[in-house]
Amino acid sequence: MTKPAATVTPNTWEFLRDPMIKPTGFREYDARWKYPDEINLPGVTALGLGLGTQMRRRGIDPVIAVGNDYRDYSLSIKNALIVGLMQAGIQVKDIGPALSPMAYFSQFHLDVPAVAMVTASHNPNGWTGVKMGFDRPLTHGPDEMSELRDIVLNGSGEARPGGGYEFVDDVQEAYLQDLVGDFRMTRPLKVVCATGNGTAAAFAPELFRRIGVEVVESHTTLDYTFPNYNPNPEAMEMLHDMADSVKASGADLALGFDGDGDRCGVVDDEGEEIFADKVGVIMARDLSKLYPNATFVADVKSTGLFASDPELQANGVTADYWKTGHSHMKRRVKEIGALAGFEKSGHYFLAEPLGRGYDCGMRVAVEICKLMDRNPDMKMSDLRKALPKTHSTPTMSPYCSDTEKYSTLDRIVAKLTAKAVANEPIAGRAIKEVVTVNGARVILDNGGWGLVRASSNTPNLVVVCESPESEDELRAIFADIDAVIRTEDTVGEYDQTF
């Protein structure tokens, strides 16, 4: 295998011949590159050869399910990946265009040990990537990604005989049937279904109709130019559009999905955007009645209510705060036998008997409909208002390059830890502790907190804050955390603020 170059000039003979892969595309738990600036098609083939070689070295049965999201270049990238996998002697089962959770489902449905999903997830057009895994329902974490990176970038991929290809065209229907099961709504429910013209448009409206939900379609025509907005239910642009649709249609709630369908965003009947961590608390309250003494995992960006909510405490819930990232969360849910995991970004990980442990926006949408069915006298706004009141920011991402973000974060964490040691306040309050499992979560004496971490899949830091007291205190927490961040000249502008 040719050792890939870090850069190859576009529109040259070499660009069409030689593999080019920018090393920073190998991230903590999946791979992301700008295409074709940071990876070319021969580079994708080298990635496939490396992934197949990794399977062989680990003694995994050489069969893999492969899918792609709905972007105009994803099919070309998938085909290039398949060529590399077949070179490594892997039997490829191509499931066609898919959601990431449909690809994860296919591992179970087709009984294959490995999966590779070509998707840029919620990243805007111009990005591509691969989510992959060997140990269902898990996906590659840092150890597997660093191993893969070394195989690929060192040119250590090994060609072997035995590769093959099969197109499997019935997985989409099996996936929908699995989601629906025998459930049908017993109360009327009108839902705005928002897909931002992304891949979920081929799934979500049909799914809702099958379970007896009245559907208000919002940008559900497949269009890989994303003419309205980038499908990302963590972005306020999409959430505000969902809120407008709820108000215009009189719907009971809105459910929105990202570009590859593994995340779900929620807006209630009053047009209030409910961040996914709060939706997680609403779901945890409902599920802990059915499954007392359950354990729930929440990522470090999530609300403190998983630990402090009196109703969860009364139901015997154990809250476990863990590293942000779909691979980290899936692994933690499985390791400690949690019923579910919740991530502020909108990834939900529902384990048996609710789901199979992987993140699936469609499965969460069905479970939210079931929750509404179990509470026929309640509106989504009633469930939101029943939670203890907290004030929180959206997820905010200031620019910081991939090559500098981790060293920058280390310095910020050290400065925040030093403030705690020196008994310096944040927002006029004492720092109770600084949790450093994933960046720094600075927890104050009243339960308020501010988090800084490095994004695992884009050149950014990530900042989230929450106050149990007031909007003013929330702004003060953010101002003091941001003041520390601004001591680093490697940090740029925020993508959004509040």
Side-chain angles (χ1 to χ4, degrees), residues 192-197 217-220 228-230 235-249 254 267 271 273:
V192 170
C193 172
T195 66
N197 305 104
E217 298 196 24
S218 174
H219 308 314
T220 55
N228 296 288
Y229 49 73
N230 185 48
M236 299 309 293
E237 182 181 18
M238 183 170 184
L239 289 168
H240 288 161
D241 187 65
M242 289 162 60
D244 290 343
S245 296
V246 167
K247 292 170 185 173
S249 65
V267 173
E273 299 105 357

Side-chain angles (χ1 to χ4, degrees), residues 160-336:
R160 296 182 58 158
Y165 176 88
E166 175 191 1
F167 187 82
V168 186
D169 64 0
D170 62 350
V171 178
Q172 180 174 355
E173 177 58 27
Y175 171 61
L176 284 168
Q177 288 180 8
D178 183 72
L179 289 166
V180 172
D182 58 3
F183 173 66
R184 298 295 181 276
M185 296 292 301
T186 61
R187 67 174 277 187
L189 195 69
K190 186 176 182 179
V191 174
V192 170
C193 172
T195 66
N197 305 104
T199 320
F203 297 83
E206 171 69 12
L207 173 64
F208 287 135
R209 291 191 178 98
R210 289 192 189 190
I211 64 174
V213 166
E214 181 183 351
V215 180
V216 179
E217 298 196 24
S218 174
H219 308 314
T220 55
T221 301
L222 286 166
D223 186 340
Y224 45 54
T225 67
F226 303 150
N228 296 288
Y229 49 73
N230 185 48
N232 177 7
E234 199 175 13
M236 299 309 293
E237 182 181 18
M238 183 170 184
L239 289 168
H240 288 161
D241 187 65
M242 289 162 60
D244 290 343
S245 296
V246 167
K247 292 170 185 173
S249 65
D252 295 297
L253 70 157
L255 296 170
F257 308 95
D258 71 337
D260 67 331
D262 57 10
R263 295 192 297 133
C264 180
V266 180
V267 173
D268 71 18
D269 51 287
E270 295 182 350
E272 283 287 316
E273 299 105 357
I274 313 178
F275 293 137
D277 54 344
K278 297 288 182 69
V279 176
V281 178
I282 291 170
M283 293 181 70
R285 280 182 156 199
D286 181 68
L287 292 170
S288 62
K289 295 173 191 170
L290 303 173
Y291 305 96
N293 305 313
T295 296
F296 296 107
V297 181
D299 81 313
V300 294
K301 292 195 297 181
S302 289
T303 176
L305 288 176
F306 287 101
S308 64
D309 176 48
E311 189 164 328
L312 293 183
Q313 290 176 342
N315 293 340
V317 163
T318 299
D320 180 81
Y321 284 89
W322 195 241
K323 299 174 184 177
T324 293
H326 64 89
S327 284
H328 295 309
M329 291 288 290
K330 273 183 278 231
R331 198 170 299 271
R332 186 66 171 176
V333 167
K334 184 178 181 181
E335 278 177 356
I336 68 174

